[in-house]
Amino acid sequence: MELSDLEQGLRSVGSGGHVLNVQELTCLQCGLSILKAQDKYNSIFFWGKVFGQSSDYYVAYGLKDPEFEFPAKTFYYAGEDFEFKPMPKLNQDQAAKVLQLGIEKPFGGAAGKSIEAAVEGEEEVPPADDADPEVEGASQKPKKLTEADRLAQVVQEIDFDTAVVPKGAHALSENHTIVSSTDFKGLGATEATALNKYVHFRPPVSIAALRALARSDAEFYANFLDPLEADLPKGCWAVRQDPSASLVTLRSLCWPGYIAYHIPGTTKYGGMYFGYAQKSKDLPFML
């Protein structure tokens, strides 16, 4: 959800049962405005709110101009002070290690707290911000995974499975980069309720989308993104149209708390996540 559309977006996804109070909204707008100015983003986006036991995490991301194909998403997180910090960038081994821990409980709210079990007789490694460079160079002990690492992993996972945009909202330029489509005027009232009119805004993984993206004339095609109708299990998205037909929402049943919306006939669309970052693993047996 782009910062300029934050208030309208919150009203659009409010049917999910979660909103921000006035204090949160005001502080969030200030924090994101500072982040946008400091890191020189053309636009900054509010991704969502991950609930914690002692405090919550507010997640945002910025988009850098792409050099080829997709723009890079840089995620940030903040606590109750609304001072956004870059989210740790995990490699494949670190992400796999986070998953192997199999942590099911909600987040605690302390980003620097270790999530690995302490080994008897081993001294606790201080956080990276407080570590002494001289001591760090001498010991070379591996850094323990923290709650911030777990947050980074689960946000990437949720974003990969969601990140919903209307089909046709983005196009490929002559430089083979993904840009907002100037021809997109919004979906019609009827087609806005069709699941096949929505796609994932991320690098595609399906063979059909990859083939379309690799075409030399790909800028004339709109099927270079993975469609929502191909997501598994079938029925993992719930589409709802407002009785006034002025708003369409899509809810993820895999990740309860994610809601995307689109206002038919306009270029207004977006999505947010409010939840405990817990996946509904029993969904295939419930459909």
Side-chain angles (χ1 to χ4, degrees):
M1 181 62 54
E2 193 170 358
L3 176 59
S4 58
D5 294 332
L6 184 56
E7 292 189 44
Q8 179 182 352
L10 285 169
R11 289 194 295 269
S12 300
V13 302
S15 60
H18 297 290
V19 292
L20 299 177
N21 59 41
V22 176
Q23 179 181 356
E24 286 179 308
L25 180 59
T26 303
C27 294
L28 187 62
Q29 288 174 328
C30 293
L32 291 178
S33 297
I34 293 173
L35 176 63
K36 180 180 178 180
Q38 287 179 343
D39 289 13
K40 299 180 180 179
Y41 285 108
N42 292 327
S43 56
I44 197 77
F45 299 82
F46 176 61
W47 184 87
K49 179 180 178 180
V50 177
F51 302 143
Q53 294 175 325
S54 60
S55 63
D56 304 324
Y57 292 108
Y58 302 88
V59 181
Y61 68 90
L63 290 177
K64 293 290 187 181
D65 293 333
E67 296 180 359
F68 183 75
E69 292 185 355
F70 280 83
K73 280 185 179 180
T74 304
F75 283 93
Y76 300 84
Y77 71 96
E80 295 179 348
D81 56 0
F82 293 92
E83 295 182 2
F84 284 89
K85 298 174 283 293
M87 209 170 267
K89 294 183 178 181
L90 306 181
N91 55 38
Q92 291 185 353
D93 293 338
Q94 290 173 321
K97 192 173 181 180
V98 172
L99 291 173
Q100 287 175 359
L101 293 175
I103 303 175
E104 298 290 342
K105 64 180 182 180
F107 285 86
K113 184 178 180 180
S114 175
I115 58 175
E116 297 185 63
V119 180
E120 187 176 355
E122 182 182 7
E123 295 182 1
E124 186 176 354
V125 179
D129 295 339
D130 301 331
D132 188 351
E134 296 181 0
V135 176
E136 183 179 356
S139 59
Q140 294 295 329
K141 288 186 178 180
K143 175 180 172 291
K144 284 187 175 292
L145 293 173
T146 64
E147 190 167 270
D149 296 319
R150 180 191 170 200
L151 179 66
Q153 186 277 324
V154 75
V155 166
Q156 291 284 355
E157 188 176 357
I158 296 173
D159 191 68
F160 182 86
D161 291 342
T162 55
V164 177
V165 296
K167 188 176 182 179
H170 295 85
L172 272 171
S173 67
E174 296 179 354
N175 297 327
H176 214 76
T177 57
I178 307 294
V179 295
S180 297
S181 176
T182 56
D183 297 329
F184 180 71
K185 306 301 179 184
L187 301 176
T190 302
E191 62 180 355
T193 60
L195 193 61
N196 61 359
K197 291 297 181 180
Y198 296 90
V199 293
H200 293 287
F201 184 62
R202 55 162 169 76
V205 294
S206 66
I207 296 177
L210 286 171
R211 285 177 176 173
L213 188 62
R215 294 176 63 101
S216 59
D217 56 348
E219 61 266 22
F220 299 107
Y221 295 85
N223 58 344
F224 55 87
L225 295 174
D226 290 334
L228 263 66
E229 62 177 347
D231 289 353
L232 296 176
K234 291 291 184 181
C236 63
W237 287 98
V239 183
R240 178 183 179 273
Q241 187 176 32
D242 189 86
S244 64
S246 60
L247 178 68
V248 174
T249 57
L250 299 91
R251 303 187 187 191
S252 173
L253 303 183
C254 286
W255 292 101
Y258 178 84
I259 300 182
Y261 79 92
H262 175 52
I263 301 177
T266 72
T267 57
K268 299 293 184 182
Y269 62 88
M272 289 187 202
Y273 178 80
F274 289 87
Y276 289 94
Q278 294 179 336
K279 191 173 185 177
S280 180
K281 298 180 180 180
D282 296 332
L283 183 63
F285 306 99
M286 299 167 61
L287 294 175

